Amino acid sequence: VQKDSPNAKEILIAVGGGTGAGTGTGSAKMDRDLIRRMRYQDKVVLVLMLAAYFIALMFTASLAYRQASNSSPVRFYGDPRVEDLMTDNADADDFLHVFAQPPRSVQLCIQGMLPVPTLLAHLVDGSLEWQGCFYRHVFSFGLDLTPFIVHEEEGRSSGLEADGVETLRKFLREDVNDLATVQLVKEVSWDRWEELATNIKHKIRQKGFDGLIHVSWRNTETLTVYKNRTWANFLHRGITRVLLALSVVGYMWYAPYMYFRQRGPEVHPKFKVDIDIESYWQLIGEKINERGFDPQ
């Protein structure tokens, strides 16, 4: 015969009545009753601990949400890891005037490397493998091109095509998604820069360096612009991500939610290096040697 399930009164008595003694009392009925009480009490303790844990998480989240709200007139702000820019205007022209500024991290990068015997590669700090051989860095430097960056077309302060401006204008005027962002992918062009790279390699080899020389240039920079809204600020805060991770299941919701909700327009302002390679070579040619670059 199956025993009836205990009612609420019996469970409360078992939880609140304590055990009073250990098992092995000599009475099978009393031992079963004590074991049942301990099981109920263990479950209640576990539930209370989980409740306290999640209440603490929610309380901390509420404090973080309060801190995310502000009375600032700023409506949009750029990713501070790239550029600390902001504006209180939703007009497309003003928006581009603030955020579509020339990129600040455009560099011509030159690296010189010498081969390392394969057996010794693991003993050399920073050794790298390229085309089946190992190399170590001898010199590495970057030539800043920022002072020479201008918008690609004169008279177009944003460096953006007309359809891109219209897409942005529609977003600023109509979008109601607090989490939507604008991606400004700033692209820089430089006519005949490959010839300059060849000249640099030739000059370094003339000075006596016989290793591998790699010349490249960093010609793109992406700036993400966020809305200054409480919900968006709250979800972008590091403490929010920590709390969601501690909640175990919260991050499973957070990642796809942010992926889909952060989607917004991507615009491509165009820039160029406004100095020809002959003039630039006059600035750097005498300072290049077998050790890389000597600014003196």
Side-chain angles (χ1 to χ4, degrees), residues 179 230-237 240-241 253-254 257-258:
L179 289 171
T230 301
W231 180 238
N233 295 341
F234 170 67
L235 290 180
H236 288 138
R237 290 173 65 88
T240 303
R241 291 191 288 270
W253 161 83
Y254 177 82
Y257 178 79
M258 294 296 287

Side-chain angles (χ1 to χ4, degrees), residues 58-111:
M58 288 187 290
F59 178 74
T60 307
S62 68
L63 294 179
Y65 186 82
R66 286 178 176 271
Q67 292 177 349
S69 62
N70 60 75
S71 57
S72 170
V74 172
R75 301 183 66 176
F76 300 94
Y77 64 93
D79 187 342
R81 294 170 297 182
V82 181
E83 287 189 84
D84 192 11
L85 302 172
M86 59 190 69
T87 181
D88 60 355
N89 200 324
D91 178 73
D93 294 330
D94 290 336
F95 183 95
L96 290 171
H97 177 73
V98 173
F99 296 110
Q101 296 182 13
R104 301 179 183 274
S105 60
V106 178
Q107 292 183 336
L108 193 66
C109 303
I110 299 94
Q111 301 177 58

Side-chain angles (χ1 to χ4, degrees), residues 265-286:
E266 181 178 293
V267 294
H268 295 259
K270 305 291 185 181
F271 301 88
K272 66 179 180 180
V273 179
D274 192 27
I275 184 173
D276 57 75
I277 63 170
E278 290 81 11
S279 299
Y280 193 72
W281 180 253
Q282 292 178 6
L283 297 176
I284 66 171
E286 297 301 322

